[in-house]
Each structure stands twice: as C-alpha cells, then as structure tokens.
Amino acid sequence: VQYNGFLYYTSGAYDGTFAYSALYKVPNTGGSPVIINPRKNPYWTDYGPAAFTIDPIGGLVYYNAGNQAPNDKDDTFNTVVSLSTLGGSDSILTYSGYGWGAGGNYTINGTTWYYGLADLQHDKAVYPDSFNYCFTKGCGSLSTDSINLYWSDGSAIWSIPLVGGAVAALVSSSNHIYSIATPTTGAAAGSIFWVEASGGSASLKRRDVSGQITTLIGPTTSMFFYNRCFAVSDDKVFCGQQDGLVEVSINGGAVTVLAAVAFPSGPVGVATDDTYIYWS
C-alpha cells in the first residue's frame, strides 16, 4: 500500500529465535525497510495486502493482532487494532464483532461455545459452567472508506466507525469470506466487494449502498485462488483467473476475457489506476 511517500507491506520476520508476521514501511525512493508494528504478531493468516489497510485521512494503519482480554488473562483473542503509520503503540478497536452469543455458537458434547469474546464484563473463571469461550474466527481482509473500517471475520463482514462507535454486522454467509474492497469513487462508491469460497469453488459478490447483494461471478473453481485477486475501477471489476484476466460489470452480467492462455498465469494480486491494470 502506498501512503505519504512510503510503501507499506507485510512479510515474515525472524529475530534469531522466533518467526513472526511483520508490517514494514520503506521510502518510495528506496532505503532500508523498518518494522513498525510494536509486537511480534503470529496471528496474521495472510502475508498479502489484504492483511491490513490504511486510512489516508487519519494516517492510521489497521490490522489484526492477538490480545488478552481485561477479564481473561489465560487466553489470547483475535482483535482489530489501529496504529499510527509513524509507529508507536497500537490501540484495540474491538476484540470481536460478536456479542454474547449474538454472533453464533455451536454445541459439542452438550457444551455450547460462543464465537469470540462473549462479554468483557465477565470472566470465565467466575462463570465456568454457564459461559464458554472459543477463539474468534480468523480475521482476514480489511478495508476503509475513510468513514468506516471494514473487515472479514470468518464468514461475516463487519464495520466500525473510524471515530469510534458500535460494531455492525453487514454480511453473513455460510461460506468463508476472503478479500474485501470498499471503493470510494466512481459508480461503485459505497459498495462492498468480496470473495466468498467453499468446497473448492468461489464467488465474487457485491453489496450495494441499499444493502442488496449480487453475485457477479461464480461459483467457479477456476478463479480466486488468492485473497487479493480482484480490483474495482469505476463500473468494472477486474479479476484474476486460472490462466488470465477477466472483467465484469459491477452489476453482474457477461464476463469478458482480457488476457488468456498462459499469460498471465494465475495472478496473485490485481490492482488498477485510471489507465492500466497491474498484477503479480
């Protein structure tokens, strides 16, 4: 991600004894990269740009990290945190999008487990029989429109105002939700796009400003092998497929092949500007 003269990216790091995921920044003009996340974080499941997002107005980077709850010193939970692009200490925005049982639960051998941190006001040591934790589903892709922060958490998409406020569940699915995008300009402004996968196939979906959800592509087994494999530009979405690039309208419809055969071969990441499409 480019911001204010620097390139930000995630990659692995090693301190001689411990391997962890790190958030780096390096000047656009070149130089030595610097790790800016304050704690060694083994909780990212994705080394791509889907693992974090930057608010260009507030100068904050948002990502997933592991933290202990105030009333539970025994377990570590996935949290969404904010950090200045200058570095320093990160701040916890939310432990989970889930409330006490509101976000879902499952029962194993007669015991009900609630997703995420059920209630910060209760300690499981005090309520050992009536209250059970399970670890939050893995936090995946994050995105911002400079008003709200959005992230995928297992099979849901959540939002929280950047100025603080209540967490809201915007999308829920029985499938796993991967990369999300929230364009702020053009015909798609205000929409949310995401990849949803299950059983070896995946779909590209859009939620418009009215809340209507449309499947743009899929389910298919030949696309969306990687999280950051699509990009939105005005009224088009450009996607990587098994052997090439395709485009589709933000309203769905016919899929057009832009480049086929063995070039490009299985794009990992796709991005656009006003003129070109870029991929790795």
Side-chain angles (χ1 to χ4, degrees), residues 41-84:
N41 179 23
Y43 297 95
W44 279 325
T45 58
D46 171 8
Y47 282 156
F52 71 96
T53 187
I54 293 178
D55 171 23
I57 294 179
L60 295 175
V61 57
Y62 300 90
Y63 58 94
N64 175 38
N67 280 285
Q68 289 181 323
N71 295 318
D72 183 353
K73 301 304 182 183
D74 300 321
D75 299 315
T76 299
F77 297 88
N78 281 304
T79 60
V80 179
V81 302
S82 64
L83 172 70
S84 169

mmCIF file of all heavy atoms in Angstrom, residues 41-84:
data_model
loop_
_atom_site.group_PDB
_atom_site.id
_atom_site.type_symbol
_atom_site.label_atom_id
_atom_site.label_comp_id
_atom_site.label_asym_id
_atom_site.label_seq_id
_atom_site.Cartn_x
_atom_site.Cartn_y
_atom_site.Cartn_z
ATOM 1 N N ASN A 41 3.750 -10.558 15.993
ATOM 2 C CA ASN A 41 2.373 -10.959 15.790
ATOM 3 C C ASN A 41 2.286 -12.213 14.932
ATOM 4 O O ASN A 41 2.404 -12.135 13.723
ATOM 5 C CB ASN A 41 1.621 -9.808 15.115
ATOM 6 C CG ASN A 41 0.175 -10.159 14.853
ATOM 7 O OD1 ASN A 41 -0.373 -11.031 15.500
ATOM 8 N ND2 ASN A 41 -0.431 -9.493 13.899
ATOM 9 N N PRO A 42 2.065 -13.380 15.536
ATOM 10 C CA PRO A 42 1.966 -14.613 14.742
ATOM 11 C C PRO A 42 0.556 -14.906 14.263
ATOM 12 O O PRO A 42 0.282 -15.983 13.783
ATOM 13 C CB PRO A 42 2.413 -15.678 15.743
ATOM 14 C CG PRO A 42 1.921 -15.158 17.047
ATOM 15 C CD PRO A 42 2.051 -13.645 16.966
ATOM 16 N N TYR A 43 -0.369 -13.925 14.372
ATOM 17 C CA TYR A 43 -1.774 -14.224 14.153
ATOM 18 C C TYR A 43 -2.276 -13.913 12.752
ATOM 19 O O TYR A 43 -3.380 -14.279 12.401
ATOM 20 C CB TYR A 43 -2.646 -13.478 15.178
ATOM 21 C CG TYR A 43 -2.336 -13.951 16.566
ATOM 22 C CD1 TYR A 43 -1.423 -13.267 17.363
ATOM 23 C CD2 TYR A 43 -2.910 -15.113 17.061
ATOM 24 C CE1 TYR A 43 -1.111 -13.732 18.631
ATOM 25 C CE2 TYR A 43 -2.598 -15.579 18.326
ATOM 26 C CZ TYR A 43 -1.708 -14.887 19.099
ATOM 27 O OH TYR A 43 -1.397 -15.344 20.339
ATOM 28 N N TRP A 44 -1.502 -13.184 11.941
ATOM 29 C CA TRP A 44 -1.935 -12.961 10.566
ATOM 30 C C TRP A 44 -1.930 -14.283 9.816
ATOM 31 O O TRP A 44 -0.981 -15.061 9.889
ATOM 32 C CB TRP A 44 -1.026 -11.984 9.842
ATOM 33 C CG TRP A 44 -1.316 -10.565 10.145
ATOM 34 C CD1 TRP A 44 -2.530 -9.997 10.381
ATOM 35 C CD2 TRP A 44 -0.363 -9.511 10.275
ATOM 36 N NE1 TRP A 44 -2.400 -8.667 10.638
ATOM 37 C CE2 TRP A 44 -1.081 -8.339 10.579
ATOM 38 C CE3 TRP A 44 1.025 -9.442 10.139
ATOM 39 C CZ2 TRP A 44 -0.459 -7.107 10.744
ATOM 40 C CZ3 TRP A 44 1.636 -8.226 10.309
ATOM 41 C CH2 TRP A 44 0.909 -7.071 10.612
ATOM 42 N N THR A 45 -2.969 -14.514 9.038
ATOM 43 C CA THR A 45 -3.022 -15.718 8.219
ATOM 44 C C THR A 45 -2.684 -15.412 6.770
ATOM 45 O O THR A 45 -2.749 -16.283 5.925
ATOM 46 C CB THR A 45 -4.425 -16.337 8.287
ATOM 47 O OG1 THR A 45 -5.389 -15.373 7.845
ATOM 48 C CG2 THR A 45 -4.760 -16.761 9.715
ATOM 49 N N ASP A 46 -2.317 -14.164 6.491
ATOM 50 C CA ASP A 46 -2.164 -13.725 5.109
ATOM 51 C C ASP A 46 -0.999 -12.745 5.047
ATOM 52 O O ASP A 46 -0.971 -11.753 5.754
ATOM 53 C CB ASP A 46 -3.476 -13.052 4.682
ATOM 54 C CG ASP A 46 -3.403 -12.355 3.359
ATOM 55 O OD1 ASP A 46 -2.392 -12.489 2.655
ATOM 56 O OD2 ASP A 46 -4.371 -11.664 3.032
ATOM 57 N N TYR A 47 0.001 -13.025 4.204
ATOM 58 C CA TYR A 47 1.131 -12.124 4.063
ATOM 59 C C TYR A 47 0.907 -11.091 2.961
ATOM 60 O O TYR A 47 1.819 -10.419 2.544
ATOM 61 C CB TYR A 47 2.401 -12.910 3.736
ATOM 62 C CG TYR A 47 3.022 -13.587 4.942
ATOM 63 C CD1 TYR A 47 3.844 -14.692 4.779
ATOM 64 C CD2 TYR A 47 2.797 -13.116 6.215
ATOM 65 C CE1 TYR A 47 4.427 -15.317 5.874
ATOM 66 C CE2 TYR A 47 3.380 -13.737 7.317
ATOM 67 C CZ TYR A 47 4.187 -14.832 7.128
ATOM 68 O OH TYR A 47 4.765 -15.449 8.201
ATOM 69 N N GLY A 48 -0.314 -10.973 2.443
ATOM 70 C CA GLY A 48 -0.586 -10.042 1.357
ATOM 71 C C GLY A 48 -1.174 -8.740 1.857
ATOM 72 O O GLY A 48 -1.387 -8.548 3.048
ATOM 73 N N PRO A 49 -1.469 -7.808 0.937
ATOM 74 C CA PRO A 49 -2.029 -6.512 1.333
ATOM 75 C C PRO A 49 -3.420 -6.623 1.924
ATOM 76 O O PRO A 49 -3.922 -5.681 2.516
ATOM 77 C CB PRO A 49 -2.041 -5.725 0.018
ATOM 78 C CG PRO A 49 -2.048 -6.758 -1.048
ATOM 79 C CD PRO A 49 -1.246 -7.899 -0.507
ATOM 80 N N ALA A 50 -4.069 -7.791 1.757
ATOM 81 C CA ALA A 50 -5.384 -7.971 2.360
ATOM 82 C C ALA A 50 -5.315 -7.976 3.882
ATOM 83 O O ALA A 50 -6.320 -7.839 4.555
ATOM 84 C CB ALA A 50 -6.018 -9.277 1.873
ATOM 85 N N ALA A 51 -4.116 -8.133 4.447
ATOM 86 C CA ALA A 51 -3.971 -8.273 5.893
ATOM 87 C C ALA A 51 -4.041 -6.941 6.636
ATOM 88 O O ALA A 51 -4.105 -6.930 7.845
ATOM 89 C CB ALA A 51 -2.647 -8.966 6.215
ATOM 90 N N PHE A 52 -4.013 -5.813 5.920
ATOM 91 C CA PHE A 52 -4.083 -4.522 6.597
ATOM 92 C C PHE A 52 -4.630 -3.479 5.630
ATOM 93 O O PHE A 52 -4.724 -3.699 4.425
ATOM 94 C CB PHE A 52 -2.709 -4.093 7.116
ATOM 95 C CG PHE A 52 -1.735 -3.695 6.034
ATOM 96 C CD1 PHE A 52 -1.563 -2.366 5.680
ATOM 97 C CD2 PHE A 52 -0.995 -4.654 5.359
ATOM 98 C CE1 PHE A 52 -0.679 -2.005 4.677
ATOM 99 C CE2 PHE A 52 -0.106 -4.314 4.360
ATOM 100 C CZ PHE A 52 0.060 -2.980 4.016
ATOM 101 N N THR A 53 -5.010 -2.336 6.181
ATOM 102 C CA THR A 53 -5.476 -1.226 5.351
ATOM 103 C C THR A 53 -5.040 0.075 6.006
ATOM 104 O O THR A 53 -4.793 0.126 7.218
ATOM 105 C CB THR A 53 -7.002 -1.259 5.175
ATOM 106 O OG1 THR A 53 -7.410 -0.268 4.220
ATOM 107 C CG2 THR A 53 -7.718 -0.994 6.488
ATOM 108 N N ILE A 54 -4.927 1.145 5.221
ATOM 109 C CA ILE A 54 -4.504 2.446 5.731
ATOM 110 C C ILE A 54 -5.587 3.477 5.445
ATOM 111 O O ILE A 54 -6.098 3.565 4.320
ATOM 112 C CB ILE A 54 -3.179 2.904 5.094
ATOM 113 C CG1 ILE A 54 -2.040 1.983 5.538
ATOM 114 C CG2 ILE A 54 -2.853 4.353 5.477
ATOM 115 C CD1 ILE A 54 -0.696 2.331 4.924
ATOM 116 N N ASP A 55 -5.961 4.248 6.469
ATOM 117 C CA ASP A 55 -6.870 5.371 6.303
ATOM 118 C C ASP A 55 -6.048 6.574 5.859
ATOM 119 O O ASP A 55 -5.253 7.108 6.647
ATOM 120 C CB ASP A 55 -7.579 5.674 7.622
ATOM 121 C CG ASP A 55 -8.365 6.970 7.569
ATOM 122 O OD1 ASP A 55 -8.721 7.391 6.454
ATOM 123 O OD2 ASP A 55 -8.603 7.555 8.639
ATOM 124 N N PRO A 56 -6.192 7.039 4.607
ATOM 125 C CA PRO A 56 -5.331 8.112 4.114
ATOM 126 C C PRO A 56 -5.580 9.461 4.774
ATOM 127 O O PRO A 56 -4.723 10.336 4.728
ATOM 128 C CB PRO A 56 -5.671 8.167 2.614
ATOM 129 C CG PRO A 56 -7.045 7.606 2.523
ATOM 130 C CD PRO A 56 -7.130 6.559 3.592
ATOM 131 N N ILE A 57 -6.738 9.633 5.403
ATOM 132 C CA ILE A 57 -7.037 10.904 6.065
ATOM 133 C C ILE A 57 -6.462 10.922 7.473
ATOM 134 O O ILE A 57 -5.819 11.881 7.896
ATOM 135 C CB ILE A 57 -8.558 11.140 6.097
ATOM 136 C CG1 ILE A 57 -9.092 11.319 4.674
ATOM 137 C CG2 ILE A 57 -8.892 12.360 6.955
ATOM 138 C CD1 ILE A 57 -10.582 11.527 4.590
ATOM 139 N N GLY A 58 -6.677 9.853 8.219
ATOM 140 C CA GLY A 58 -6.215 9.815 9.601
ATOM 141 C C GLY A 58 -4.792 9.366 9.777
ATOM 142 O O GLY A 58 -4.222 9.491 10.863
ATOM 143 N N GLY A 59 -4.171 8.794 8.722
ATOM 144 C CA GLY A 59 -2.801 8.331 8.832
ATOM 145 C C GLY A 59 -2.638 7.154 9.772
ATOM 146 O O GLY A 59 -1.617 7.008 10.444
ATOM 147 N N LEU A 60 -3.661 6.295 9.813
ATOM 148 C CA LEU A 60 -3.623 5.132 10.679
ATOM 149 C C LEU A 60 -3.666 3.865 9.836
ATOM 150 O O LEU A 60 -4.343 3.810 8.805
ATOM 151 C CB LEU A 60 -4.812 5.129 11.645
ATOM 152 C CG LEU A 60 -4.869 6.247 12.683
ATOM 153 C CD1 LEU A 60 -6.167 6.161 13.473
ATOM 154 C CD2 LEU A 60 -3.677 6.182 13.618
ATOM 155 N N VAL A 61 -2.948 2.856 10.293
ATOM 156 C CA VAL A 61 -2.998 1.542 9.661
ATOM 157 C C VAL A 61 -3.781 0.620 10.584
ATOM 158 O O VAL A 61 -3.654 0.684 11.808
ATOM 159 C CB VAL A 61 -1.578 0.994 9.386
ATOM 160 C CG1 VAL A 61 -0.750 0.914 10.648
ATOM 161 C CG2 VAL A 61 -1.648 -0.363 8.701
ATOM 162 N N TYR A 62 -4.643 -0.197 9.995
ATOM 163 C CA TYR A 62 -5.491 -1.114 10.748
ATOM 164 C C TYR A 62 -5.127 -2.542 10.368
ATOM 165 O O TYR A 62 -4.961 -2.851 9.193
ATOM 166 C CB TYR A 62 -6.967 -0.865 10.437
ATOM 167 C CG TYR A 62 -7.423 0.526 10.789
ATOM 168 C CD1 TYR A 62 -7.349 1.553 9.856
ATOM 169 C CD2 TYR A 62 -7.936 0.812 12.048
ATOM 170 C CE1 TYR A 62 -7.772 2.837 10.171
ATOM 171 C CE2 TYR A 62 -8.354 2.088 12.377
ATOM 172 C CZ TYR A 62 -8.272 3.100 11.430
ATOM 173 O OH TYR A 62 -8.677 4.370 11.749
ATOM 174 N N TYR A 63 -5.034 -3.417 11.367
ATOM 175 C CA TYR A 63 -4.696 -4.804 11.094
ATOM 176 C C TYR A 63 -5.177 -5.694 12.232
ATOM 177 O O TYR A 63 -5.739 -5.221 13.225
ATOM 178 C CB TYR A 63 -3.186 -4.972 10.868
ATOM 179 C CG TYR A 63 -2.303 -4.526 12.006
ATOM 180 C CD1 TYR A 63 -1.861 -5.421 12.961
ATOM 181 C CD2 TYR A 63 -1.890 -3.199 12.111
ATOM 182 C CE1 TYR A 63 -1.033 -5.016 14.004
ATOM 183 C CE2 TYR A 63 -1.068 -2.785 13.146
ATOM 184 C CZ TYR A 63 -0.647 -3.692 14.090
ATOM 185 O OH TYR A 63 0.171 -3.285 15.121
ATOM 186 N N ASN A 64 -4.949 -6.982 12.087
ATOM 187 C CA ASN A 64 -5.366 -7.973 13.067
ATOM 188 C C ASN A 64 -4.201 -8.307 13.984
ATOM 189 O O ASN A 64 -3.071 -8.443 13.528
ATOM 190 C CB ASN A 64 -5.838 -9.229 12.325
ATOM 191 C CG ASN A 64 -6.172 -10.366 13.260
ATOM 192 O OD1 ASN A 64 -6.717 -10.155 14.327
ATOM 193 N ND2 ASN A 64 -5.851 -11.577 12.846
ATOM 194 N N ALA A 65 -4.468 -8.431 15.273
ATOM 195 C CA ALA A 65 -3.428 -8.795 16.236
ATOM 196 C C ALA A 65 -4.054 -9.603 17.362
ATOM 197 O O ALA A 65 -5.266 -9.586 17.562
ATOM 198 C CB ALA A 65 -2.740 -7.551 16.796
ATOM 199 N N GLY A 66 -3.233 -10.313 18.097
ATOM 200 C CA GLY A 66 -3.707 -11.093 19.227
ATOM 201 C C GLY A 66 -3.544 -10.317 20.531
ATOM 202 O O GLY A 66 -2.504 -9.709 20.773
ATOM 203 N N ASN A 67 -4.592 -10.307 21.366
ATOM 204 C CA ASN A 67 -4.543 -9.616 22.653
ATOM 205 C C ASN A 67 -5.308 -10.409 23.701
ATOM 206 O O ASN A 67 -6.252 -11.139 23.391
ATOM 207 C CB ASN A 67 -5.157 -8.218 22.539
ATOM 208 C CG ASN A 67 -4.209 -7.207 21.938
ATOM 209 O OD1 ASN A 67 -3.270 -6.750 22.589
ATOM 210 N ND2 ASN A 67 -4.441 -6.864 20.681
ATOM 211 N N GLN A 68 -4.919 -10.218 24.958
ATOM 212 C CA GLN A 68 -5.668 -10.775 26.063
ATOM 213 C C GLN A 68 -6.776 -9.813 26.447
ATOM 214 O O GLN A 68 -6.640 -8.598 26.340
ATOM 215 C CB GLN A 68 -4.757 -11.016 27.267
ATOM 216 C CG GLN A 68 -3.777 -12.164 27.073
ATOM 217 C CD GLN A 68 -2.908 -12.380 28.293
ATOM 218 O OE1 GLN A 68 -2.507 -11.441 28.946
ATOM 219 N NE2 GLN A 68 -2.629 -13.632 28.599
ATOM 220 N N ALA A 69 -7.886 -10.368 26.914
ATOM 221 C CA ALA A 69 -8.994 -9.545 27.374
ATOM 222 C C ALA A 69 -8.734 -9.055 28.796
ATOM 223 O O ALA A 69 -8.021 -9.705 29.552
ATOM 224 C CB ALA A 69 -10.286 -10.356 27.338
ATOM 225 N N PRO A 70 -9.307 -7.913 29.171
ATOM 226 C CA PRO A 70 -9.088 -7.390 30.527
ATOM 227 C C PRO A 70 -9.481 -8.377 31.618
ATOM 228 O O PRO A 70 -8.855 -8.423 32.679
ATOM 229 C CB PRO A 70 -9.988 -6.148 30.564
ATOM 230 C CG PRO A 70 -10.106 -5.733 29.143
ATOM 231 C CD PRO A 70 -10.115 -7.004 28.354
ATOM 232 N N ASN A 71 -10.531 -9.170 31.387
ATOM 233 C CA ASN A 71 -11.022 -10.084 32.410
ATOM 234 C C ASN A 71 -10.676 -11.542 32.146
ATOM 235 O O ASN A 71 -11.245 -12.432 32.750
ATOM 236 C CB ASN A 71 -12.542 -9.940 32.546
ATOM 237 C CG ASN A 71 -12.916 -8.571 33.054
ATOM 238 O OD1 ASN A 71 -12.269 -8.054 33.961
ATOM 239 N ND2 ASN A 71 -13.930 -7.972 32.463
ATOM 240 N N ASP A 72 -9.753 -11.765 31.200
ATOM 241 C CA ASP A 72 -9.342 -13.140 30.925
ATOM 242 C C ASP A 72 -7.858 -13.139 30.599
ATOM 243 O O ASP A 72 -7.457 -12.825 29.488
ATOM 244 C CB ASP A 72 -10.157 -13.716 29.766
ATOM 245 C CG ASP A 72 -9.805 -15.186 29.505
ATOM 246 O OD1 ASP A 72 -8.848 -15.681 30.129
ATOM 247 O OD2 ASP A 72 -10.474 -15.819 28.694
ATOM 248 N N LYS A 73 -7.049 -13.458 31.575
ATOM 249 C CA LYS A 73 -5.600 -13.422 31.404
ATOM 250 C C LYS A 73 -5.026 -14.760 30.930
ATOM 251 O O LYS A 73 -3.824 -14.901 30.774
ATOM 252 C CB LYS A 73 -4.927 -13.028 32.725
ATOM 253 C CG LYS A 73 -5.366 -11.680 33.251
ATOM 254 C CD LYS A 73 -5.142 -10.559 32.247
ATOM 255 C CE LYS A 73 -5.531 -9.211 32.801
ATOM 256 N NZ LYS A 73 -5.383 -8.122 31.816
ATOM 257 N N ASP A 74 -5.912 -15.724 30.676
ATOM 258 C CA ASP A 74 -5.438 -17.051 30.293
ATOM 259 C C ASP A 74 -5.403 -17.262 28.785
ATOM 260 O O ASP A 74 -4.639 -18.075 28.294
ATOM 261 C CB ASP A 74 -6.330 -18.130 30.914
ATOM 262 C CG ASP A 74 -6.328 -18.067 32.428
ATOM 263 O OD1 ASP A 74 -5.250 -17.817 32.994
ATOM 264 O OD2 ASP A 74 -7.395 -18.237 33.035
ATOM 265 N N ASP A 75 -6.254 -16.540 28.050
ATOM 266 C CA ASP A 75 -6.401 -16.791 26.635
ATOM 267 C C ASP A 75 -6.076 -15.544 25.812
ATOM 268 O O ASP A 75 -6.155 -14.418 26.300
ATOM 269 C CB ASP A 75 -7.832 -17.226 26.306
ATOM 270 C CG ASP A 75 -8.208 -18.513 27.026
ATOM 271 O OD1 ASP A 75 -7.373 -19.439 27.016
ATOM 272 O OD2 ASP A 75 -9.303 -18.571 27.598
ATOM 273 N N THR A 76 -5.721 -15.770 24.558
ATOM 274 C CA THR A 76 -5.447 -14.684 23.625
ATOM 275 C C THR A 76 -6.500 -14.710 22.526
ATOM 276 O O THR A 76 -6.823 -15.765 21.991
ATOM 277 C CB THR A 76 -4.051 -14.837 22.995
ATOM 278 O OG1 THR A 76 -3.075 -14.785 24.039
ATOM 279 C CG2 THR A 76 -3.773 -13.718 22.013
ATOM 280 N N PHE A 77 -7.038 -13.536 22.188
ATOM 281 C CA PHE A 77 -8.107 -13.431 21.216
ATOM 282 C C PHE A 77 -7.670 -12.579 20.034
ATOM 283 O O PHE A 77 -6.859 -11.655 20.180
ATOM 284 C CB PHE A 77 -9.349 -12.802 21.858
ATOM 285 C CG PHE A 77 -9.931 -13.622 22.964
ATOM 286 C CD1 PHE A 77 -9.484 -13.457 24.262
ATOM 287 C CD2 PHE A 77 -10.910 -14.562 22.711
ATOM 288 C CE1 PHE A 77 -10.006 -14.214 25.297
ATOM 289 C CE2 PHE A 77 -11.436 -15.322 23.737
ATOM 290 C CZ PHE A 77 -10.987 -15.157 25.035
ATOM 291 N N ASN A 78 -8.246 -12.865 18.863
ATOM 292 C CA ASN A 78 -8.027 -12.005 17.714
ATOM 293 C C ASN A 78 -8.680 -10.657 17.959
ATOM 294 O O ASN A 78 -9.808 -10.574 18.438
ATOM 295 C CB ASN A 78 -8.634 -12.628 16.457
ATOM 296 C CG ASN A 78 -7.754 -13.708 15.869
ATOM 297 O OD1 ASN A 78 -6.596 -13.463 15.573
ATOM 298 N ND2 ASN A 78 -8.301 -14.896 15.708
ATOM 299 N N THR A 79 -7.972 -9.589 17.650
ATOM 300 C CA THR A 79 -8.501 -8.241 17.800
ATOM 301 C C THR A 79 -8.194 -7.424 16.553
ATOM 302 O O THR A 79 -7.274 -7.734 15.802
ATOM 303 C CB THR A 79 -7.876 -7.517 19.013
ATOM 304 O OG1 THR A 79 -6.459 -7.423 18.832
ATOM 305 C CG2 THR A 79 -8.171 -8.244 20.303
ATOM 306 N N VAL A 80 -8.969 -6.378 16.335
ATOM 307 C CA VAL A 80 -8.696 -5.399 15.295
ATOM 308 C C VAL A 80 -8.074 -4.186 15.966
ATOM 309 O O VAL A 80 -8.633 -3.655 16.931
ATOM 310 C CB VAL A 80 -9.982 -4.998 14.551
ATOM 311 C CG1 VAL A 80 -9.676 -3.950 13.485
ATOM 312 C CG2 VAL A 80 -10.636 -6.216 13.918
ATOM 313 N N VAL A 81 -6.901 -3.777 15.502
ATOM 314 C CA VAL A 81 -6.173 -2.688 16.153
ATOM 315 C C VAL A 81 -5.843 -1.587 15.157
ATOM 316 O O VAL A 81 -5.866 -1.796 13.940
ATOM 317 C CB VAL A 81 -4.860 -3.195 16.811
ATOM 318 C CG1 VAL A 81 -5.144 -4.292 17.821
ATOM 319 C CG2 VAL A 81 -3.888 -3.680 15.748
ATOM 320 N N SER A 82 -5.547 -0.404 15.685
ATOM 321 C CA SER A 82 -5.080 0.716 14.870
ATOM 322 C C SER A 82 -3.690 1.118 15.334
ATOM 323 O O SER A 82 -3.331 0.959 16.505
ATOM 324 C CB SER A 82 -6.032 1.904 14.976
ATOM 325 O OG SER A 82 -6.063 2.412 16.307
ATOM 326 N N LEU A 83 -2.887 1.625 14.395
ATOM 327 C CA LEU A 83 -1.506 2.020 14.678
ATOM 328 C C LEU A 83 -1.159 3.190 13.787
ATOM 329 O O LEU A 83 -1.497 3.211 12.598
ATOM 330 C CB LEU A 83 -0.566 0.843 14.391
ATOM 331 C CG LEU A 83 0.941 1.106 14.441
ATOM 332 C CD1 LEU A 83 1.385 1.364 15.880
ATOM 333 C CD2 LEU A 83 1.704 -0.073 13.854
ATOM 334 N N SER A 84 -0.487 4.194 14.334
ATOM 335 C CA SER A 84 -0.026 5.305 13.515
ATOM 336 C C SER A 84 0.967 4.807 12.475
ATOM 337 O O SER A 84 1.767 3.906 12.752
ATOM 338 C CB SER A 84 0.645 6.371 14.394
ATOM 339 O OG SER A 84 1.315 7.326 13.591
#
